[in-house]
Amino acid sequence: YEVTVMTPVFPGRDMDERHGIQILSINPSAFIDGYSAWPYAVRKAVLSGEYGTCIIIQDPLGNIIWSVEKMPPHPSTRLIIQPIINADGYGKWHNHAEFSGRLAGIIKEADVAVAMTKTGPETQFMGSAGIKPAYLPNATKLVEPAGGFRQQYGIPEDRFLILHVANLYWVKNHCG
């Protein structure tokens, strides 16, 4: 497949291609025709017909999913939406009928809605809105522990240890 990833500008990124994947950097602080460049670029891509499939992945508290509201994709473009809904974000808006209704309307317009869990908040929301998402498990294999982690980093065997690999960004619920 030919893949293009649309992502915010990253100051340290010095290429627009990586391992055959095109990188389309958008400045989220910029404006085009009075609109924020980020959702404008997403909307333009979905309408363009240039892409066979557009996959939108974001927490609904951001502006990417909303960029395709009331806008059918180009007839030759399939639209896949994966709302990233964790307990923290869902708790902020699940009782707001207008927000929930608009979000459900957007997701229903997609060719496919995707869920990361079988029973999590995103699946609960979509189920309550009459949306049957496709479940997409993490694309990793279970790896047998190789051991030696504590020894490698000089951590005593009796010391309590939590290893958390993530960026502490609130919408990802890593702090939670």
Side-chain angles (χ1 to χ4, degrees):
Y1 295 97
E2 185 178 324
V3 176
T4 300
V5 174
M6 185 181 295
T7 185
V9 169
F10 179 69
R13 187 181 300 125
D14 59 359
M15 62 185 102
D16 59 2
E17 183 268 332
R18 174 98 170 136
H19 298 299
I21 297 173
Q22 295 300 309
I23 302 169
L24 182 57
S25 297
I26 307 296
N27 182 348
S29 303
F31 285 85
I32 300 171
D33 296 334
Y35 297 97
S36 172
W38 183 246
Y40 182 88
V42 171
R43 189 174 182 91
K44 183 178 174 186
V46 173
L47 284 171
S48 72
E50 183 179 340
Y51 303 98
T53 302
C54 289
I55 304 171
I56 296 177
I57 304 170
Q58 190 189 37
D59 182 305
L61 292 173
N63 58 6
I64 296 173
I65 289 175
W66 301 97
S67 66
V68 296
E69 186 174 24
K70 297 180 182 175
M71 182 205 77
H74 188 278
S76 65
T77 300
R78 286 179 42 106
L79 180 61
I80 299 173
I81 297 179
Q82 181 176 356
I84 305 299
I85 303 171
N86 62 36
D88 179 54
Y90 191 46
K92 291 179 178 163
W93 56 262
H94 80 280
N95 287 326
H96 298 278
E98 181 184 358
F99 184 99
S100 297
R102 286 177 58 206
L103 178 59
I106 293 167
I107 296 171
K108 285 177 181 179
E109 290 297 316
D111 292 290
V112 178
V114 176
M116 292 188 309
T117 69
K118 291 182 178 180
T119 60
E122 85 284 10
T123 305
Q124 293 169 21
F125 166 71
M126 287 191 267
S128 71
I131 300 165
K132 184 166 175 40
Y135 168 64
L136 184 64
N138 286 322
T140 62
K141 296 178 186 174
L142 289 178
V143 177
E144 288 297 319
F149 178 84
R150 287 177 177 269
Q151 293 78 21
Q152 183 178 349
Y153 292 97
I155 303 168
E157 289 296 324
D158 60 347
R159 178 163 296 158
F160 179 74
L161 173 66
I162 295 175
L163 175 62
H164 186 93
V165 180
N167 57 346
L168 297 178
Y169 192 62
W170 72 270
V171 297
K172 295 184 178 185
N173 202 32
H174 291 156
C175 294

